[in-house]
Amino acid sequence: MRLGAVLSALRPALPLLLGLSLGCSLSLLRASWSHGAAEERCLAPGPPAPPARGAPPEAAEGRPGPGHEDFRPRIVPYYRDPNKPYKKVLRTRYIQTELGFHERLFVAVLTSKATLNTLAVAVNKTVAHHFPRLLYFTGLRSAKVPHGMVLVAHGDERPIWLMYETVNYIHQHFGSDYDWFYIMQDDTYAQAEQVKALVTHLSINQDVYLGRAEEFIGGDEQARYCHGGFGYLLSRSLLLKLHPHLDSCRNEILSVRPDEWLGRCIIDFLGITCVSQLQGQHYHTYELAKNTDLEKEEEEDFQAALAVHPVSDMTLMYRLHKQFSRIQLDRIYQEIQDLQMQIRNLTALTPAGEAGVTWPVGINAPFLPKSRFEVISWDYFTEQHLFSCPDGSPKCELSGASKADVSEIIESAVEQLNRLYQPLLRFSKRQLLNGYRRFDPTRGMEYTLDLLLEAATQKGHSHVLAKRVSLVRPLSKVEIIPMPYVTEATRVQLVLPLTVQDLDFVANFLDMFAMNTLDTHDNALLTLLFIYHPYDAQRVGQVDVFAGVKAMVGELEKRYAEVKIPWISVKTEVPSQVKLMDIVSKKHPVDTLFFLASVWTEINMEFLNRCRMNTISNWQVFFPVHFQEFNPALVYRGEQTASSSTDFLRDGHFDRHSFAEACFYNSDYMTARTKLAADILDRDEVLESMEVFDVFLHYSGLHLFRAVEPGLVQKYTLRSCNPRLSEELYHRCVLSNLEGLASRSHLAMALFEQEQANST
């Protein structure tokens, strides 16, 4: 009875126990089979199996082949010679540079002294901005090099010598930096985008000699050289192998044409012949006949050509560029229509159906706010005025880029209406009744226009009507703008203007400077600018208002024996930023990188590195927007203290009214200052209404990079605004003080508590 009771109790759990037992048994069996198979493979006798047909050499034994050294990871061991003094290692900021990646394409244009100012200029204006790096090579240079062209002159006009020196120069200066090298003549028109697309589809690990293949006169029928008039492409690996044989080719190969000489050199010493197609990619060319009507040229070979030759004059080069640009635009518009049709067809199969198609088709849907704080506001405008002004005023005149934008969008709206309704109706604009626009970061600029139009029929009848249209200027493809290369090794010269009102904050500035630059051995220097009021300057023999600051500087120089902190004394009632910078500029070399700081700035290495990277000589200046902390008395009201990590959305804001901080090179400032001096004609009172930002904005022609800088934090303080400055500068200073008090919520809370206290 007892056994039966136990079995009856376990009967419901029997399927579970059997399942667990069976699962454990199968898992053990599978583990045994896998282990045994692995042992058999490892212990199998005989040579290793050859790699599969078409597989690369590294498939054998799992090791890279000899032709794949570019893809092998390299570990560089650290070794420091104990006999040499320690030196700080400066590492690059970009991982691409540290890993040794190569740029994609280098372009060389062969020109001459006779065609440098004609055909070479036409090449530069049509294709130079499409290529990341383009150089012009000539035998003899003219007296004046055209603007915007980098020219290399070899000193000899002989064609073979020019080709030899050009290939040698490319190898020495760019052989380790680029994967592909495209060589063309100045009488060749090349479709830059097509050439760049071609190299993206070719493997960089092969010896490539690609162009229009031509036969040698009286030579081997199998050997081909690339015709120089249509350009040709060389891979980096081929260039590296060819370089040791260039001297032998120059001495042993006789030829009249430089392209034949180069082709014979490659064939004789490397055994590689020119090909017109490789890896499924074709190098299409078109030979241009005389008196060709480009506008009527519709041959497939012409439209598919990567290079056209010969181009006899500049006008023909520009006409070719216009024609190929039109062909490219037609292709793009056709691709857009095909993609829109595919999107409509696919959207009909989705759960949302045709209602899920957003307008315009293919553009991101409008941004949907999740709260009222995320709603994007619309700006109202007319043809004459804008009602959302940058300075906060309710109404301002529509001018500059905004006026051009409104005119263009109205013209485009009327053009689209005519395209839809012609030939039945013909619209012409009478007036813009209402205009609204907003910038949606997910799709672009959106417009809503109420237009008063005059519609005319084919029979001549006309009628005035009002019509509302919606337009979108979508965000285009993000494009990387080529910029000059800069490093973080540049020395930064800090310039700190000081007045009597700033004395309470100097100690904190010097402490932060010592901790973040001197202790870390950062490549930065400091110059102090003492601004004396005329009354204080007269009493400097008895009482020096800056004596305490000079004592602090002396202590720093004692603590850091290798550091010198100079100061400059200036006497003025109106501390104009431009006048002060004039004094400092004359005392430093032209290649000095200045950081114009304020006494409330907390210097740190992170910002100094961005100052170096964002400031480019003869190209760009950097005006950071510092982060200004709010008044702690209003934000915390005695309940809590500020945390060490600043909460940007709560404890402060980016002060866009301040232009006190700036990074720029002395040479750029001197150039802009010279133009300013010629404009104002010794009217020094004009300088009192200007800042350094205004000098660069109106007189430099450089890029002005103005961006928020979270690494530049300033503690709250009430700035003293000098009423003797211009009205605009004084107004900006007052706005900066007012907006730096607290956020709207904090101010509302303070007012509420004050009213509660008054009511009781």
Side-chain angles (χ1 to χ4, degrees):
M1 291 295 293
R2 185 176 299 174
L3 181 60
V6 172
L7 291 176
S8 61
L10 293 177
R11 185 172 298 168
L14 285 177
L16 177 61
L17 295 175
L18 290 174
L20 290 174
S21 302
L22 182 60
C24 293
S25 302
L26 290 176
S27 63
L28 291 174
L29 288 173
R30 183 177 181 277
S32 300
W33 292 339
S34 301
H35 183 66
E39 290 180 348
E40 290 175 4
R41 284 198 301 269
C42 292
L43 299 177
R53 182 178 182 182
E58 67 269 19
E61 300 184 4
R63 294 192 301 271
H68 290 70
E69 64 275 2
D70 289 343
F71 302 101
R72 293 177 180 174
R74 299 186 299 271
I75 300 177
V76 181
Y78 175 74
Y79 171 75
R80 183 170 70 89
D81 191 349
N83 299 323
K84 295 183 179 179
Y86 172 75
K87 183 179 179 182
K88 182 180 178 182
V89 179
L90 293 176
R91 295 188 61 184
T92 174
R93 191 176 183 87
Y94 301 107
I95 189 173
Q96 179 178 1
T97 306
E98 182 139 340
L99 294 180
F101 290 172
H102 303 143
E103 297 292 339
R104 176 67 66 179
L105 180 64
F106 174 85
V107 180
V109 180
L110 303 179
T111 182
S112 63
K113 182 179 180 180
T115 59
L116 177 61
N117 291 284
T118 54
L119 287 175
V121 172
V123 171
N124 191 65
K125 291 184 177 180
T126 53
V127 301
H129 54 284
H130 293 281
F131 291 123
R133 191 66 182 269
L134 187 144
L135 263 65
Y136 297 85
F137 295 88
T138 181
L140 299 176
R141 57 182 298 170
S142 58
K144 184 178 180 181
V145 179
H147 178 70
M149 297 173 59
V150 182
L151 183 67
V152 178
H154 297 308
D156 196 327
E157 285 285 357
R158 290 177 296 175
I160 305 301
W161 179 267
L162 177 62
M163 176 61 71
Y164 164 78
E165 290 291 342
T166 299
V167 176
N168 195 32
Y169 184 93
I170 293 174
H171 175 270
Q172 291 181 358
H173 294 84
F174 306 102
S176 59
D177 298 332
Y178 291 86
D179 287 328
W180 298 100
F181 302 90
Y182 185 66
I183 302 176
M184 57 181 286
Q185 299 174 179
D186 58 2
D187 60 346
T188 304
Y189 176 79
Q191 287 207 69
E193 296 299 330
Q194 300 289 350
V195 175
K196 290 195 296 184
L198 173 66
V199 298
T200 57
H201 291 84
L202 295 176
S203 173
I204 64 174
N205 203 37
Q206 292 187 6
D207 299 332
V208 176
Y209 182 33
L210 181 65
R212 176 165 172 166
E214 299 282 349
E215 295 183 3
F216 290 98
I217 299 177
D220 186 5
E221 295 182 357
Q222 301 298 327
R224 298 287 191 276
Y225 73 94
C226 289
H227 194 291
F230 298 95
Y232 42 89
L233 196 66
L234 304 178
S235 64
R236 175 174 171 267
S237 60
L238 183 141
L239 183 65
L240 296 179
K241 294 177 181 178
L242 178 65
H243 181 258
H245 307 291
L246 285 177
D247 292 334
S248 300
C249 293
R250 184 188 58 180
N251 298 326
E252 299 175 6
I253 300 177
L254 299 178
S255 179
V256 179
R257 294 171 52 92
D259 50 0
E260 290 187 4
W261 174 84
L262 181 63
R264 177 58 65 188
C265 180
I266 296 175
I267 293 170
D268 291 350
F269 289 92
L270 302 182
I272 299 173
T273 184
C274 176
V275 293
S276 297
Q277 59 178 352
L278 182 68
Q279 302 174 12
Q281 302 298 315
H282 295 264
Y283 191 88
H284 297 285
T285 59
Y286 186 81
E287 186 171 355
L288 197 63
K290 294 183 178 180
N291 302 324
T292 302
D293 191 353
L294 299 179
E295 286 71 16
K296 297 181 180 179
E297 191 67 59
E298 297 181 355
E299 294 185 21
E300 185 178 352
D301 293 341
F302 177 78
Q303 297 189 3
L306 275 74
V308 178
H309 175 79
V311 182
S312 57
D313 54 53
M314 298 175 61
T315 304
L316 184 58
M317 184 78 73
Y318 297 138
R319 290 174 58 200
L320 279 168
H321 186 64
K322 178 182 178 181
Q323 182 67 10
F324 278 108
S325 298
R326 185 189 62 80
I327 294 173
Q328 189 67 20
L329 280 175
D330 293 341
R331 291 175 183 169
I332 293 174
Y333 286 140
Q334 185 60 44
E335 291 178 4
I336 291 175
Q337 292 180 3
D338 295 341
L339 290 173
Q340 288 178 339
M341 183 61 67
Q342 294 178 17
I343 292 173
R344 290 191 184 97
N345 296 336
L346 292 175
T347 307
L349 304 177
T350 61
E354 295 183 358
V357 180
T358 59
W359 180 88
V361 179
I363 304 298
N364 293 334
F367 173 72
L368 295 177
K370 298 180 181 179
S371 65
R372 62 187 180 91
F373 300 103
E374 298 179 355
V375 175
I376 304 175
S377 60
W378 290 84
D379 297 333
Y380 179 77
F381 63 89
T382 62
E383 291 186 77
Q384 293 80 26
H385 295 93
L386 182 66
F387 292 83
S388 297
C389 305
D391 58 355
S393 58
K395 180 181 178 181
C396 57
E397 185 177 356
L398 194 65
S399 61
S402 294
K403 187 175 183 63
D405 175 62
V406 171
S407 301
E408 183 181 356
I409 208 68
I410 294 175
E411 182 181 350
S412 177
V414 177
E415 181 183 347
Q416 292 295 330
L417 287 173
N418 287 325
R419 185 177 299 176
L420 289 174
Y421 291 98
Q422 278 186 347
L424 300 178
L425 292 175
R426 174 70 182 179
F427 292 97
S428 59
K429 180 185 75 77
R430 280 284 193 90
Q431 182 185 355
L432 173 64
L433 300 176
N434 302 293
Y436 308 89
R437 69 180 180 182
R438 71 172 184 178
F439 178 72
D440 188 337
T442 62
R443 54 196 262 134
M445 186 70 79
E446 299 178 348
Y447 304 86
T448 299
L449 306 178
D450 293 330
L451 296 172
L452 187 64
L453 304 169
E454 182 177 356
T457 63
Q458 290 178 314
K459 296 182 178 181
H461 302 292
S462 61
H463 179 70
V464 178
L465 55 88
K467 193 171 185 65
R468 168 165 287 193
V469 296
S470 298
L471 302 97
V472 176
R473 190 192 296 272
L475 293 173
S476 59
K477 180 182 178 181
V478 178
E479 186 176 348
I480 299 177
I481 301 176
M483 299 285 285
Y485 182 75
V486 293
T487 65
E488 294 181 350
T490 308
R491 173 177 293 176
V492 179
Q493 178 66 58
L494 281 76
V495 179
L496 179 65
L498 292 175
T499 61
V500 178
Q501 291 81 8
D502 304 331
L503 294 179
D504 295 336
F505 311 98
V506 179
N508 181 67
F509 177 90
L510 294 177
D511 289 342
M512 297 298 296
F513 173 76
M515 180 176 64
N516 293 328
T517 60
L518 301 183
D519 290 343
T520 59
H521 302 283
D522 191 76
N523 196 9
L525 301 177
L526 174 64
T527 297
L528 299 178
L529 200 59
F530 296 142
I531 304 173
Y532 287 90
H533 190 273
Y535 176 75
D536 296 328
Q538 294 176 358
R539 303 172 59 249
V540 71
Q542 295 80 23
V543 179
D544 188 356
V545 293
F546 293 106
V549 181
K550 295 177 181 178
M552 297 179 194
V553 172
E555 291 295 329
L556 281 179
E557 291 179 345
K558 290 180 181 178
R559 192 191 315 171
Y560 305 95
E562 71 281 0
V563 175
K564 297 297 180 183
I565 303 179
W567 66 70
I568 303 172
S569 299
V570 180
K571 180 180 71 173
T572 179
E573 293 185 8
V574 184
S576 169
Q577 194 181 51
V578 178
K579 289 184 178 181
L580 297 177
M581 199 61 227
D582 288 346
I583 299 173
V584 178
S585 175
K586 295 176 182 178
K587 297 181 179 296
H588 290 84
V590 294
D591 59 346
T592 303
L593 173 58
F594 285 123
F595 168 44
L596 189 57
S598 60
V599 71
W600 307 283
T601 304
E602 296 184 356
I603 305 297
N604 57 70
M605 187 183 300
E606 178 186 359
F607 166 73
L608 290 179
N609 284 334
R610 276 200 285 269
C611 177
R612 297 180 177 103
M613 301 299 290
N614 292 328
T615 309
I616 306 172
S617 179
N618 200 28
W619 184 270
Q620 179 172 285
V621 293
F622 180 41
F623 287 86
V625 182
H626 68 257
F627 182 80
Q628 177 67 54
E629 294 186 356
F630 287 142
N631 188 348
L634 292 175
V635 175
Y636 303 107
R637 298 184 300 280
E639 297 179 0
Q640 57 182 2
T641 58
S643 60
S644 58
S645 61
T646 305
D647 185 358
F648 288 171
L649 299 179
R650 177 181 179 183
D651 297 344
H653 74 122
F654 289 100
D655 189 2
R656 59 186 179 89
H657 298 292
S658 175
F659 294 86
E661 292 86 12
C663 295
F664 53 89
Y665 278 91
N666 192 17
S667 57
D668 295 334
Y669 177 79
M670 294 171 65
T671 303
R673 187 64 179 85
T674 303
K675 295 180 181 179
L676 172 62
D679 189 28
I680 63 176
L681 299 177
D682 296 332
R683 291 178 296 157
D684 291 343
E685 66 276 4
V686 179
L687 301 179
E688 298 178 1
S689 62
M690 301 182 67
E691 291 184 317
V692 174
F693 178 82
D694 302 314
V695 175
F696 283 108
L697 179 64
H698 299 291
Y699 298 98
S700 70
L702 304 177
H703 296 270
L704 268 67
F705 184 38
R706 176 108 168 124
V708 294
E709 179 50 65
L712 204 59
V713 181
Q714 293 189 8
K715 298 293 184 181
Y716 171 78
T717 182
L718 186 65
R719 272 71 165 171
S720 58
C721 300
N722 193 336
R724 301 199 59 175
L725 294 174
S726 67
E727 182 179 355
E728 181 182 356
L729 297 181
Y730 181 77
H731 180 64
R732 285 212 305 247
C733 180
V734 172
L735 282 178
S736 178
N737 278 333
L738 293 177
E739 293 187 3
L741 288 174
S743 64
R744 292 185 178 183
S745 59
H746 292 129
L747 293 174
M749 206 62 178
L751 289 174
F752 175 75
E753 292 179 357
Q754 184 178 1
E755 290 182 359
Q756 289 287 85
N758 293 336
S759 63
T760 55

